[in-house]
Amino acid sequence: MNGRSGNRNTLAWSQFIWTVKRELWGNRFLIVVPVALTLLSLLLTCMGLSKASLHSLDNMDPADVFRGATDAITHVAALSGMAVSCIYALGTFYNERKDLSILFWKSMPVSDFMSVLAKASIVLFAVPALVLVLNWISVITLSIAGRIDFGLTLAALTSSQGVTVMMSNYILYALINALWWFPVYGVLFVVSVLVRSIPAGWVLGVLAALGIAEFFLLNTSRITSTVWDRLFDSPGRGSQNRLFQGSYSRGDGLNIHQFTLQHGAPTTHHTLDLNGLLIGIVVGIVCLALTIWLRRRAEPI
């Protein structure tokens, strides 16, 4: 019995890994877009720092400049990862019904539970892991640029928190972001497996209708604010609450006019809303369960 149970578990795990690899291979934009945007931002930042005018950094701590640059690039990585994950979640089940590939997958020994779980792991684990690696690459690359431009080591550039803490924080940020956006992905999965026409049109249409109705009937905008906060106000962004003003010119490089680091109480942007996080996880789990139920009954479009 134990041997047969172990074989079944091994087979299920192999099917799961194979399904995840197939999803990544068939949706390579999940990797290409975050990598391209992050590396482009990193390249432009390094070019700006290398051409920076010496007087532009007077009376400024290079460590603050370094952390500000890493914050900006990691924001690009996180938001690009979220964007491609939303696109994937909104289209994956709709596309397999539209191109009739759902008939092929239902003929394979892969359950609906396994298929949904594999697709969910793409947005909850695979893409966040990619973003985490991009963040680490950005930190290392910017530290090399800081060494060249300012003559400072990575330890000096991260003196306020340390190298180990800074790198490990990005693991926490990736986890929090994935959980914070989990209900968004779950709702998009449900829409993708349910509608029979353009999913994006349904999402935007329903949100617009609800927002307009709320505004005229209740004179509030809570729905719009909730959606906006869930998408763009993630508590796992890792920002240091900076005020940054600058300009870039081809000849002079990066000129920083104002750069301040505020050490006061954390703002709502950087405080973890535990209740909101837990509610979102529950909503995400319910949406995944509903997606599994709907996919078992899904038919080609």
Tab-separated table of all heavy atoms in Angstrom, residues 75-102:
chain	number	residue	atom	x	y	z
A	75	HIS	N	10.206	48.352	-7.777
A	75	HIS	CA	8.809	48.687	-8.068
A	75	HIS	C	8.468	48.285	-9.493
A	75	HIS	O	7.392	47.741	-9.759
A	75	HIS	CB	8.568	50.179	-7.874
A	75	HIS	CG	8.303	50.570	-6.454
A	75	HIS	ND1	9.161	50.256	-5.433
A	75	HIS	CD2	7.278	51.247	-5.890
A	75	HIS	CE1	8.678	50.735	-4.295
A	75	HIS	NE2	7.527	51.328	-4.551
A	76	VAL	N	9.365	48.575	-10.426
A	76	VAL	CA	9.139	48.208	-11.827
A	76	VAL	C	9.002	46.695	-11.956
A	76	VAL	O	8.101	46.193	-12.641
A	76	VAL	CB	10.290	48.724	-12.714
A	76	VAL	CG1	10.173	48.180	-14.130
A	76	VAL	CG2	10.302	50.248	-12.742
A	77	ALA	N	9.893	45.960	-11.295
A	77	ALA	CA	9.842	44.493	-11.360
A	77	ALA	C	8.534	43.962	-10.781
A	77	ALA	O	7.886	43.090	-11.370
A	77	ALA	CB	11.040	43.904	-10.624
A	78	ALA	N	8.127	44.481	-9.616
A	78	ALA	CA	6.915	43.983	-8.955
A	78	ALA	C	5.667	44.289	-9.774
A	78	ALA	O	4.808	43.419	-9.967
A	78	ALA	CB	6.799	44.592	-7.557
A	79	LEU	N	5.548	45.520	-10.265
A	79	LEU	CA	4.355	45.906	-11.012
A	79	LEU	C	4.286	45.203	-12.368
A	79	LEU	O	3.204	44.841	-12.832
A	79	LEU	CB	4.317	47.423	-11.190
A	79	LEU	CG	4.068	48.226	-9.909
A	79	LEU	CD1	4.101	49.720	-10.190
A	79	LEU	CD2	2.732	47.836	-9.276
A	80	SER	N	5.433	45.005	-13.012
A	80	SER	CA	5.427	44.278	-14.284
A	80	SER	C	5.045	42.822	-14.054
A	80	SER	O	4.314	42.219	-14.859
A	80	SER	CB	6.791	44.379	-14.965
A	80	SER	OG	7.813	43.801	-14.170
A	81	GLY	N	5.519	42.234	-12.950
A	81	GLY	CA	5.124	40.872	-12.613
A	81	GLY	C	3.636	40.773	-12.342
A	81	GLY	O	2.971	39.817	-12.771
A	82	MET	N	3.088	41.742	-11.628
A	82	MET	CA	1.656	41.751	-11.358
A	82	MET	C	0.860	41.911	-12.647
A	82	MET	O	-0.169	41.243	-12.855
A	82	MET	CB	1.314	42.878	-10.385
A	82	MET	CG	-0.159	42.975	-10.009
A	82	MET	SD	-1.095	44.115	-11.085
A	82	MET	CE	-0.414	45.684	-10.564
A	83	ALA	N	1.316	42.780	-13.542
A	83	ALA	CA	0.595	43.034	-14.787
A	83	ALA	C	0.520	41.787	-15.659
A	83	ALA	O	-0.553	41.419	-16.155
A	83	ALA	CB	1.260	44.181	-15.544
A	84	VAL	N	1.654	41.121	-15.866
A	84	VAL	CA	1.637	39.920	-16.711
A	84	VAL	C	0.853	38.790	-16.048
A	84	VAL	O	0.215	37.983	-16.741
A	84	VAL	CB	3.069	39.461	-17.061
A	84	VAL	CG1	3.794	40.505	-17.885
A	84	VAL	CG2	3.871	39.101	-15.812
A	85	SER	N	0.860	38.733	-14.714
A	85	SER	CA	0.085	37.713	-14.008
A	85	SER	C	-1.414	37.946	-14.203
A	85	SER	O	-2.183	36.988	-14.384
A	85	SER	CB	0.435	37.718	-12.517
A	85	SER	OG	1.778	37.337	-12.304
A	86	CYS	N	-1.835	39.202	-14.165
A	86	CYS	CA	-3.248	39.521	-14.396
A	86	CYS	C	-3.657	39.162	-15.820
A	86	CYS	O	-4.746	38.614	-16.049
A	86	CYS	CB	-3.500	41.002	-14.122
A	86	CYS	SG	-3.486	41.463	-12.368
A	87	ILE	N	-2.805	39.483	-16.785
A	87	ILE	CA	-3.099	39.149	-18.179
A	87	ILE	C	-3.216	37.638	-18.349
A	87	ILE	O	-4.130	37.136	-19.019
A	87	ILE	CB	-2.013	39.721	-19.105
A	87	ILE	CG1	-2.045	41.255	-19.078
A	87	ILE	CG2	-2.182	39.213	-20.532
A	87	ILE	CD1	-0.894	41.904	-19.816
A	88	TYR	N	-2.300	36.914	-17.728
A	88	TYR	CA	-2.324	35.453	-17.813
A	88	TYR	C	-3.580	34.888	-17.154
A	88	TYR	O	-4.273	34.036	-17.734
A	88	TYR	CB	-1.078	34.890	-17.141
A	88	TYR	CG	-1.110	33.398	-16.938
A	88	TYR	CD1	-0.847	32.530	-17.995
A	88	TYR	CD2	-1.421	32.855	-15.690
A	88	TYR	CE1	-0.894	31.145	-17.807
A	88	TYR	CE2	-1.458	31.484	-15.498
A	88	TYR	CZ	-1.201	30.639	-16.557
A	88	TYR	OH	-1.244	29.281	-16.370
A	89	ALA	N	-3.897	35.345	-15.937
A	89	ALA	CA	-5.056	34.820	-15.212
A	89	ALA	C	-6.352	35.111	-15.952
A	89	ALA	O	-7.279	34.284	-15.949
A	89	ALA	CB	-5.108	35.427	-13.804
A	90	LEU	N	-6.419	36.253	-16.597
A	90	LEU	CA	-7.652	36.641	-17.289
A	90	LEU	C	-7.856	35.872	-18.591
A	90	LEU	O	-8.992	35.702	-19.042
A	90	LEU	CB	-7.631	38.143	-17.568
A	90	LEU	CG	-8.920	38.787	-18.093
A	90	LEU	CD1	-10.063	38.550	-17.111
A	90	LEU	CD2	-8.711	40.283	-18.303
A	91	GLY	N	-6.774	35.389	-19.189
A	91	GLY	CA	-6.913	34.756	-20.491
A	91	GLY	C	-6.741	33.262	-20.539
A	91	GLY	O	-7.156	32.616	-21.501
A	92	THR	N	-6.161	32.653	-19.493
A	92	THR	CA	-5.740	31.265	-19.604
A	92	THR	C	-6.894	30.289	-19.820
A	92	THR	O	-6.844	29.444	-20.723
A	92	THR	CB	-4.912	30.854	-18.360
A	92	THR	OG1	-4.495	29.510	-18.515
A	92	THR	CG2	-5.697	31.028	-17.061
A	93	PHE	N	-7.952	30.354	-19.034
A	93	PHE	CA	-9.066	29.417	-19.184
A	93	PHE	C	-9.945	29.794	-20.375
A	93	PHE	O	-10.506	28.906	-21.040
A	93	PHE	CB	-9.910	29.373	-17.908
A	93	PHE	CG	-9.171	28.813	-16.728
A	93	PHE	CD1	-8.790	29.622	-15.674
A	93	PHE	CD2	-8.848	27.465	-16.683
A	93	PHE	CE1	-8.114	29.101	-14.589
A	93	PHE	CE2	-8.169	26.931	-15.594
A	93	PHE	CZ	-7.802	27.758	-14.552
A	94	TYR	N	-10.071	31.078	-20.639
A	94	TYR	CA	-10.837	31.517	-21.818
A	94	TYR	C	-10.178	31.036	-23.098
A	94	TYR	O	-10.857	30.535	-24.005
A	94	TYR	CB	-10.958	33.037	-21.806
A	94	TYR	CG	-11.575	33.610	-23.062
A	94	TYR	CD1	-12.956	33.579	-23.249
A	94	TYR	CD2	-10.782	34.176	-24.055
A	94	TYR	CE1	-13.530	34.103	-24.401
A	94	TYR	CE2	-11.343	34.702	-25.201
A	94	TYR	CZ	-12.709	34.659	-25.379
A	94	TYR	OH	-13.275	35.177	-26.535
A	95	ASN	N	-8.865	31.169	-23.187
A	95	ASN	CA	-8.148	30.783	-24.405
A	95	ASN	C	-8.235	29.279	-24.666
A	95	ASN	O	-8.367	28.849	-25.816
A	95	ASN	CB	-6.685	31.211	-24.310
A	95	ASN	CG	-6.530	32.713	-24.368
A	95	ASN	OD1	-7.374	33.414	-24.932
A	95	ASN	ND2	-5.461	33.233	-23.772
A	96	GLU	N	-8.155	28.466	-23.600
A	96	GLU	CA	-8.217	27.022	-23.822
A	96	GLU	C	-9.610	26.579	-24.242
A	96	GLU	O	-9.764	25.538	-24.897
A	96	GLU	CB	-7.762	26.274	-22.568
A	96	GLU	CG	-8.709	26.336	-21.393
A	96	GLU	CD	-8.227	25.506	-20.212
A	96	GLU	OE1	-7.048	25.097	-20.233
A	96	GLU	OE2	-9.027	25.272	-19.281
A	97	ARG	N	-10.627	27.326	-23.885
A	97	ARG	CA	-11.973	27.015	-24.374
A	97	ARG	C	-12.176	27.516	-25.794
A	97	ARG	O	-12.863	26.882	-26.601
A	97	ARG	CB	-13.029	27.642	-23.451
A	97	ARG	CG	-13.113	26.990	-22.085
A	97	ARG	CD	-14.253	27.559	-21.268
A	97	ARG	NE	-14.023	28.960	-20.945
A	97	ARG	CZ	-14.950	29.915	-21.038
A	97	ARG	NH1	-16.167	29.615	-21.459
A	97	ARG	NH2	-14.672	31.160	-20.720
A	98	LYS	N	-11.537	28.645	-26.112
A	98	LYS	CA	-11.714	29.221	-27.438
A	98	LYS	C	-10.969	28.434	-28.508
A	98	LYS	O	-11.488	28.233	-29.623
A	98	LYS	CB	-11.231	30.679	-27.423
A	98	LYS	CG	-11.471	31.415	-28.726
A	98	LYS	CD	-11.053	32.868	-28.617
A	98	LYS	CE	-11.319	33.599	-29.928
A	98	LYS	NZ	-10.903	35.033	-29.850
A	99	ASP	N	-9.747	27.984	-28.211
A	99	ASP	CA	-8.981	27.235	-29.210
A	99	ASP	C	-9.195	25.721	-29.120
A	99	ASP	O	-8.480	24.946	-29.766
A	99	ASP	CB	-7.491	27.554	-29.100
A	99	ASP	CG	-6.898	27.174	-27.745
A	99	ASP	OD1	-7.527	26.380	-27.010
A	99	ASP	OD2	-5.809	27.670	-27.421
A	100	LEU	N	-10.174	25.313	-28.295
A	100	LEU	CA	-10.582	23.906	-28.159
A	100	LEU	C	-9.524	23.023	-27.501
A	100	LEU	O	-9.685	21.798	-27.447
A	100	LEU	CB	-10.952	23.306	-29.532
A	100	LEU	CG	-12.006	24.055	-30.355
A	100	LEU	CD1	-12.304	23.292	-31.643
A	100	LEU	CD2	-13.279	24.257	-29.553
A	101	SER	N	-8.463	23.610	-26.984
A	101	SER	CA	-7.441	22.792	-26.316
A	101	SER	C	-7.958	22.181	-25.021
A	101	SER	O	-7.365	21.230	-24.493
A	101	SER	CB	-6.192	23.629	-26.038
A	101	SER	OG	-6.475	24.703	-25.157
A	102	ILE	N	-9.082	22.700	-24.515
A	102	ILE	CA	-9.648	22.132	-23.298
A	102	ILE	C	-10.062	20.679	-23.524
A	102	ILE	O	-10.014	19.847	-22.610
A	102	ILE	CB	-10.851	22.975	-22.798
A	102	ILE	CG1	-11.291	22.489	-21.417
A	102	ILE	CG2	-11.997	22.943	-23.792
A	102	ILE	CD1	-12.364	23.356	-20.798
